[in-house]
Amino acid sequence: MTAPILPAQRPLTLGRHEVWPPVVLAPMAGITNVGFRRLCREQGGGIYVCEMITTVALVERNPKTLRMIAFGDDEQPRSLQLYGTDPEITAAAVRIVVEKNLADHIDLNFGCPVPKVTRRGGGSALPWRRRLFARLVKAAVDAAAPAGVPVTVKMRKGIDDDHLTYVEAGLAAQDAGVVAVALHGRTAAQRYSGTADWDAIATLKQALDVPVLGNGDVWEADDALRMVDHTRVDGVVIGRGCLGRPWLFADLEAAFDGRPERRLPALGEVAATMRRHAELLVDQFVAGARNPARGERDGCTDFRKHVAWYLKGFPVGSELRRSLAMIDSLAQLDDLLGKLDPAEPFPVATLGQPRGRTNSPGKVYLPEGWLASRDDDTVPEGAELADSGG
Ligand SMILES: Cc1cc2nc3c(=O)[nH]c(=O)nc-3n(C[C@H](O)[C@H](O)[C@H](O)COP(=O)(O)O)c2cc1C
């Protein structure tokens, strides 16, 4: 037996917000909508970040984007992630957020590795252009400051192992006035492959005065304690580990409170959680729909992507899995869930295993001449995404 690891004892301070346990639900496009966040919040404390919102779409008052900025009545603090590449557009978007009182915390996304974004200099490519990065972060911080809304950044280690930016970018963000910096311990070139580099997270923690949040490969609550022990971070950011396992937030709260209990729900309890998740998505889509009659179908369609994550490792036949992943209504879901064996024990072999995206490393596509011009702070053309949450 190894000696028990001491959990972080202090709440996470994000400007005026104190968060206990020091746990953050990572923003995940297409996943962390208001329904999913409520499901997770019902399990435990923390801060739960909404899906990424693009600054252009917000400034243009895109109706789909405006609908995506939805929070529960009891959601505190309301945490919103913005994606932008242009300091002026970002400042305009932040002004809308504060003037319309849309959120209590703003996170800026500098971690997106997808080619359509980096090819134009956005997401994880942007911190390389250090002056542009600093200008953009400062624009957001300055626009949020009058309302006392704290701003954080979330980034990767850099473009690849030869072009690391995280320490310099962390210091620049701190100088610009962010209240915390989150680091996903991978480069853009790694995408979701390999393992997250917790040593890099420890290095950033040593370099900064503001709180540092560690992100990458926390699959179990005890991984979060190990990350804190290894890196001394002020909080942990949980992404893929909670896919199909919202009760991970109950385990995280227990772990940070120093309690030993960890949930191993049998299939009947998992089915009840699936039902709750689908119901919350239906509520969300009914509330946001122009045509409420379509809300149930849209909510059920959104739920389909979660089915395989919930059933991972359980002995459930492929035909039933397929049918569950094609539901259109809650009645259909109930009928299919009724066919599961509620006594089937939790598949412990899946514990600690990666889930969700685990793709291979890939070339990082960048605009022409990007690497050779670190101090150029021209706003990259066409790098703003028109669509939120993509
Ligand atoms: C489906 C999916 C969507 C994601 N969308 C976003 C996003 O919109 N903004 C962001 O900063 N990171 C996004 N990420 C990255 C996660 O926030 C997180 O940094 C990453 O998954 C690593 O953490 P993990 O190992 O706990 O999953 C996404 C990840 C996944 C799997």
Side-chain angles (χ1 to χ4, degrees):
M1 277 291 278
T2 49
I5 296 164
L6 276 183
Q9 294 296 322
R10 275 175 297 136
L12 168 64
T13 303
L14 295 179
R16 59 186 156 99
H17 310 298
E18 286 225 324
V19 180
W20 183 261
V23 166
V24 181
L25 166 66
M28 287 185 280
I31 309 281
T32 59
N33 52 27
V34 64
F36 182 74
R37 294 198 311 278
R38 178 177 288 279
L39 183 77
C40 296
R41 290 191 296 116
E42 287 175 352
Q43 301 287 330
I47 181 164
Y48 295 84
V49 188
C50 88
E51 294 177 275
M52 176 184 95
I53 300 294
T54 82
T55 49
V56 162
L58 179 53
V59 169
E60 289 175 353
R61 311 283 204 283
N62 173 297
K64 180 179 157 223
T65 292
L66 296 178
R67 275 199 302 279
M68 283 172 66
I69 307 178
F71 293 95
D73 298 340
D74 57 345
E75 201 164 349
Q76 260 305 317
R78 297 164 300 164
S79 174
L80 180 77
Q81 189 186 51
L82 291 177
Y83 168 90
T85 55
D86 180 326
E88 277 178 31
I89 296 175
T90 300
V94 171
R95 276 194 299 272
I96 294 172
V97 172
V98 300
E99 279 161 18
K100 295 196 174 303
N101 185 22
L102 299 178
D104 308 299
H105 160 234
I106 293 172
D107 183 51
L108 300 174
N109 177 355
F110 295 105
C112 187
V114 306
K116 96 170 172 189
V117 164
T118 58
R119 174 180 281 136
R120 297 176 189 278
S124 53
L126 202 140
W128 181 255
R129 287 266 170 106
R130 52 192 160 196
R131 290 173 53 200
L132 175 63
F133 172 79
R135 203 150 65 81
L136 202 151
V137 177
K138 181 137 188 1
V141 169
D142 288 351
V149 171
V151 175
T152 56
V153 295
K154 178 166 176 287
M155 58 189 186
R156 288 186 175 233
K157 282 169 60 185
I159 290 173
D160 55 34
D161 285 340
D162 296 327
H163 302 90
L164 297 176
T165 47
Y166 66 100
V167 174
E168 193 179 346
L171 289 165
Q174 176 174 279
D175 282 349
V178 301
V179 299
V181 176
L183 178 63
H184 176 192
R186 285 186 173 82
T187 60
Q190 282 180 284
R191 313 248 169 100
Y192 290 89
S193 67
T195 47
D197 176 359
W198 289 4
D199 289 340
I201 296 171
T203 301
L204 186 67
K205 170 62 193 165
Q206 281 190 349
L208 299 192
D209 298 322
V210 293
V212 170
L213 307 174
N215 176 224
D217 300 355
V218 171
W219 308 112
E220 304 299 333
D222 295 285
D223 295 336
L225 296 188
R226 276 197 308 110
M227 180 192 268
V228 168
D229 187 58
H230 187 86
T231 63
R232 301 286 142 183
V233 280
D234 304 276
V236 291
V237 183
I238 315 290
R240 295 163 297 164
C242 70
L243 297 174
R245 315 167 68 212
W247 54 84
L248 181 58
F249 291 100
D251 287 357
L252 285 159
E253 184 165 298
F256 279 102
D257 281 344
R259 286 180 281 119
E261 61 264 23
R262 306 290 182 262
R263 302 270 309 277
L264 293 172
L267 189 50
E269 217 181 309
V270 172
T273 307
M274 292 170 79
R275 177 60 160 84
R276 175 73 181 142
H277 189 170
E279 188 180 295
L280 288 167
L281 291 178
V282 168
D283 287 351
Q284 170 193 325
F285 279 86
V286 167
R290 251 178 258 131
N291 172 5
R294 284 192 46 179
E296 178 164 354
R297 204 183 70 201
D298 290 350
C300 287
T301 304
D302 196 56
F303 177 73
R304 294 173 182 179
K305 66 176 87 132
H306 297 271
V307 167
W309 292 322
Y310 279 109
L311 298 181
K312 190 176 162 77
F314 279 107
V316 175
S318 54
E319 202 172 311
L320 184 49
R321 283 172 187 268
R322 237 190 335 269
S323 306
L324 279 161
M326 284 166 47
I327 57 153
D328 279 325
S329 70
L330 290 174
Q332 238 178 348
L333 177 65
D334 287 339
D335 179 46
L336 294 166
L337 291 178
K339 297 184 178 169
L340 298 173
D341 174 4
E344 191 61 55
F346 189 84
V348 288
T350 62
L351 293 176
Q353 296 300 312
R355 45 179 54 233
R357 249 174 229 179
T358 49
N359 53 14
S360 11
K363 178 176 159 53
V364 184
Y365 294 92
L366 297 166
E368 186 82 27
W370 191 253
L371 292 176
S373 50
R374 284 209 78 184
D375 289 316
D376 184 343
D377 76 344
T378 321
V379 174
E381 251 175 63
E384 287 279 2
L385 288 168
D387 238 13
S388 295

